[in-house]
């Protein structure tokens, strides 16, 4: 059997994924406002590799038609992308920028005319800078800002967009941004980060409820980055360390959305350290508003080990010697399967899953010829799609797979270093060239009709 010969259920979404800031460019064109990422890269604060910016990115803003021709050629039937809040509302609230609405109308129509279903993320980290000046996610007003923005999007695009994602990777723009201080606004205040995370979850639930009240006949969910931290040994101290590591990172959000509470150990340690903000238990009623699907971004797993005094919570992330993909990401398709089974169990199989991101970047930079012959990506994809195939055959309700990414693009603080695309982009000429993996994906998609 060739490694793409796997049959998925009828109607399965075979897509690719991108995000506005990483591909669009045109950062200040046609009335677009400034986002916190625009500000961050222009600050030259040393956080972004080689001080690169996505001012031009891959110039998708001017090239989306030909980019979608490539996606059509590959045969994908879905495409996940995000809306730049600042194109639609330059200041985050207030006046609407009609040119921003026009742009996304053209994008949506261009996809539909090619038989590609749009899967739209409302927020993929590029918060309007004016809202950051008002406190960003730390200000509970953000719930109203986000609802107002979402309402404008549903009203303008909801007739054609039937898949919505509220927030992408909540961990990255709350804990990683306000706690660890890596992503903008680069604040290091863990208590504030927990507040932001809580506000973002309430904003999500509020928008899910609101969307359902509109009866537009579509589906809405969230895209969570789930990086399971497995104990390095059976030692109860390592087991507890892994539990704390999960609860103070990605599974903080998962636990709230699925179980309507914050992880017990996380609450305990944060209370002991006086960094647990006051939480209104009534908020969990909003947070747990039922999603129509759960979006899962999966790339790797990690191992946690108890080390007294290490970091804030006495644990260390340690390598197990598995093969590495990007940087220190350990390849773990078995961990992916275990995660999917856990999701099914925790949700009693009642919430369908869409894989909203999964993909590969080599750890090192390579010449273009080597980039195009990306057998290592093909291996990664076939392992992970193989897991999905198996999980579906075992009865899991998985509706789609959005490969990250359609095109090489701007990888946040890593700049243009990592290349996740199945289509190569020459950053000097902006020329697009299909990589071998895009033909592999095409074969898999074509195989569905054989
Ligand atoms: C997570 C993010 O959603 C996306 O923006 C990023 O580029 C990929 N994963 C790869 O790191």
């Amino acid at each position: 059997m060739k490694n793409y010969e796997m049959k998925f259920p009828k109607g399965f979404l075979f897509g690719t994924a991108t995000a506005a800031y990483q591909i669009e460019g045109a950062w200040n064109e046609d009335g677009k406002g400034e986002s916190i990422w625009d500000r961050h890269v222009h600050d030259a604060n040393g956080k972004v590799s080689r001080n690169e910016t996505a001012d031009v990115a891959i110039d998708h803003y001017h090239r989306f038609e030909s980019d979608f021709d490539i996606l059509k050629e590959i045969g994908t039937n879905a495409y996940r992308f995000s809306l730049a809040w600042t194109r639609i509302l330059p200041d985050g609230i207030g006046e609407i920028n009609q040119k921003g609405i026009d742009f996304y109308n053209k994008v949506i129509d261009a996809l539909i005319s090619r038989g590609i279903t749009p899967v739209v993320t409302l927020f993929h980290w590029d918060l309007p800078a004016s809202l950051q000046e008002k406190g960003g996610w730390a200000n509970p007003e953000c719930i109203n800002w986000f609802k107002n923005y979402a309402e404008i999007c549903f009203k303008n695009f909801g007739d054609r967009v039937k898949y919505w994602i509220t927030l992408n990777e909540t961990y990255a723009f709350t804990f990683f941004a306000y706690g660890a201080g890596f992503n903008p606004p680069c604040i290091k205040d863990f208590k504030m980060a927990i507040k932001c995370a809580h506000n973002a979850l309430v904003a999500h639930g509020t928008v899910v409820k609101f969307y359902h009240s509109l009866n537009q006949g579509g589906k809405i969910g969230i895209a969570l980055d789930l990086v399971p931290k497995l104990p390095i040994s059976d030692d109860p101290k390592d087991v507890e360390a892994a539990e704390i590591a999960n609860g103070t990172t990605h599974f903080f959000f998962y636990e709230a959305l699925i179980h309507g509470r914050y992880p017990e150990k996380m609450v305990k340690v944060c209370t002991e350290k006086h960094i647990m903000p006051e939480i209104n238990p009534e908020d969990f009623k909003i947070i747990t508003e039922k999603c129509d699907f759960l979006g899962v971004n999966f790339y790797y797993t990690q191992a946690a080990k108890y080390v007294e005094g290490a970091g804030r919570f006495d644990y260390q992330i340690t390598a197990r010697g598995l093969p590495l993909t990007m940087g220190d990401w350990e390849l773990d398709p078995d961990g992916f399967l275990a995660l999917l089974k856990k999701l099914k169990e925790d949700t009693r199989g009642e919430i369908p899953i869409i894989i909203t991101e999964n993909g590969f970047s080599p750890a090192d930079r390579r010449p273009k010829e080597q980039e195009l012959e990306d057998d290592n990506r093909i291996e990664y994809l076939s392992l992970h799609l193989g897991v999905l195939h198996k999980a579906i055959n075992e009865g899991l309700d998985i509706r789609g797979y959005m490969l990250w990414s359609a095109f090489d693009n701007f990888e946040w603080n890593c700049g243009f270093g990592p290349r996740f695309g199945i289509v190569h982009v020459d950053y000097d000429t902006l020329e697009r060239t299909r990589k071998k993996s895009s033909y592999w994906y095409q074969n898999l998609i074509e195989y569905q009709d054989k």
Side-chain angles (χ1 to χ4, degrees):
M1 184 160 100
K2 299 202 186 91
N3 65 359
Y4 59 79
E5 289 182 349
M6 299 177 262
K7 286 255 197 252
F8 285 78
K10 266 219 152 338
F12 191 80
L13 298 173
F14 286 102
T16 53
T18 62
Y21 185 68
Q22 297 179 270
I23 62 163
E24 283 181 2
W27 78 279
N28 59 358
E29 258 182 76
D30 292 336
K32 180 181 167 296
E34 189 190 19
S35 79
I36 55 170
W37 271 92
D38 293 320
R39 197 165 278 189
H40 178 68
V41 297
H42 293 152
D43 263 357
N45 55 19
K47 289 223 160 61
V48 183
S49 301
R50 298 165 297 276
N51 282 328
E52 286 167 344
T53 79
D55 289 357
V56 177
I58 64 164
D59 196 33
H60 177 74
Y61 189 77
H62 299 111
R63 296 166 194 248
F64 63 92
E65 293 275 4
S66 49
D67 281 345
F68 295 160
D69 286 342
I70 302 174
L71 299 185
K72 185 175 177 193
E73 195 180 293
I74 297 171
T76 51
N77 61 8
Y79 174 65
R80 173 181 175 222
F81 66 102
S82 77
L83 308 175
W85 190 334
T86 50
R87 273 196 206 291
I88 294 169
L89 289 160
D91 292 322
I93 43 179
E95 213 159 307
I96 297 177
N97 175 34
Q98 189 53 42
K99 286 195 173 159
I101 303 275
D102 295 346
F103 171 66
Y104 289 118
N105 270 329
K106 281 187 261 170
V107 164
I108 292 163
D109 292 344
L111 288 168
I112 292 174
S113 71
R114 286 167 178 80
I116 301 174
T117 300
V119 178
V120 175
T121 312
L122 288 166
F123 180 73
H124 200 123
W125 310 353
D126 43 357
L127 191 79
S130 331
L131 297 184
Q132 192 61 56
E133 285 162 12
K134 297 182 167 66
W137 293 102
N139 183 343
E141 263 304 296
C142 67
I143 298 157
N144 294 327
W145 302 333
F146 187 57
K147 184 177 170 223
N148 170 60
Y149 159 62
E151 182 170 2
I152 294 166
C153 298
F154 297 148
K155 188 167 150 239
N156 283 280
F157 314 126
D159 55 335
R160 288 151 296 149
V161 173
K162 298 299 169 194
Y163 286 91
W164 291 98
I165 291 166
T166 53
L167 305 171
N168 177 68
E169 299 207 348
T170 40
Y171 171 74
F173 69 88
T174 57
F175 289 164
F176 204 59
Y178 292 79
F182 288 115
N183 281 349
C186 303
I187 292 170
K188 287 190 181 169
D189 177 341
F190 206 80
K191 188 172 182 183
M192 187 192 281
I194 302 173
K195 264 193 207 150
C196 291
H198 181 74
N199 290 342
L201 283 167
V202 176
H204 153 82
T206 305
V207 165
V208 171
K209 188 168 184 181
F210 176 67
Y211 179 69
H212 285 148
S213 75
L214 296 177
N215 287 317
Q216 289 191 334
K219 298 181 193 305
I220 189 161
I222 187 167
L224 288 184
D225 42 335
L226 293 176
V227 184
K229 314 244 185 310
L230 312 163
I232 191 81
S233 79
D234 295 341
D235 185 322
K237 287 210 161 229
D238 289 335
V239 173
E240 187 179 60
E243 211 180 309
I244 293 173
N246 282 316
T248 52
T249 56
H250 306 87
F251 284 82
F252 171 89
F253 304 90
Y254 175 84
E255 187 99 1
L257 289 158
I258 307 293
H259 298 303
R261 59 177 184 235
Y262 289 129
E264 204 185 310
K265 292 248 159 72
M266 175 268 170
V267 174
K268 185 168 171 280
V269 289
C270 290
T271 308
E272 281 164 10
K273 289 179 189 295
H274 308 289
I275 52 171
M276 191 66 207
E278 197 78 37
I279 300 289
N280 179 356
E282 288 295 299
D283 287 348
F284 286 108
K285 286 198 190 126
I286 307 171
I287 293 173
T288 51
E289 181 70 26
K290 198 168 173 217
C291 289
D292 303 307
F293 63 88
L294 182 65
V296 176
N297 293 4
F298 179 86
Y299 291 88
Y300 63 110
T301 62
Q302 292 181 319
K305 177 181 167 57
Y306 173 76
V307 179
E308 199 184 328
R312 190 188 304 273
F313 300 112
D314 299 325
Y315 74 80
Q316 211 169 56
I317 294 303
T318 129
R320 287 155 295 177
L322 300 177
L324 299 180
T325 62
M326 134 131 189
D328 54 1
W329 293 3
E330 289 191 309
L331 174 74
D332 188 9
D334 294 338
F336 186 30
L337 186 60
L339 171 69
L340 293 172
K341 289 188 171 166
K342 173 183 162 53
L343 302 192
K344 179 179 175 191
E345 205 179 291
D346 288 352
T347 60
R348 295 175 305 278
E350 284 168 10
I351 306 183
I353 294 169
I354 296 181
I355 305 306
T356 35
E357 279 185 37
N358 176 245
F360 173 92
S361 164
D364 51 342
R365 301 185 111 184
R366 299 163 182 209
K368 179 174 175 188
E369 309 75 65
Q370 280 180 32
E371 273 291 333
L372 295 181
E373 289 294 309
D374 55 346
D375 291 300
N376 35 20
R377 178 172 290 105
I378 294 176
E379 195 191 329
Y380 182 96
L381 298 178
S382 61
L383 282 172
H384 289 81
L385 274 148
V387 162
L388 280 194
H389 186 244
K390 186 167 187 275
I392 293 171
N393 286 340
E394 286 180 15
L396 269 82
D397 188 0
I398 303 170
R399 306 277 175 94
Y401 177 81
M402 306 294 134
L403 195 168
W404 187 275
S405 180
F407 311 98
D408 289 339
N409 60 55
F410 184 82
E411 177 64 14
W412 308 107
N413 282 330
C414 298
F416 292 107
R419 286 180 176 272
F420 276 92
I422 54 171
V423 176
H424 180 272
V425 178
D426 179 319
Y427 295 126
D428 294 323
T429 62
L430 295 171
E431 185 194 8
R432 276 68 164 150
T433 313
R434 284 182 60 177
K435 299 182 192 175
K436 194 171 169 186
S437 57
S438 73
Y439 294 96
W440 180 86
Y441 200 35
Q442 181 170 349
N443 281 332
L444 170 75
I445 297 168
E446 283 171 359
Y447 183 72
Q448 305 309 307
D449 294 327
K450 288 197 175 133

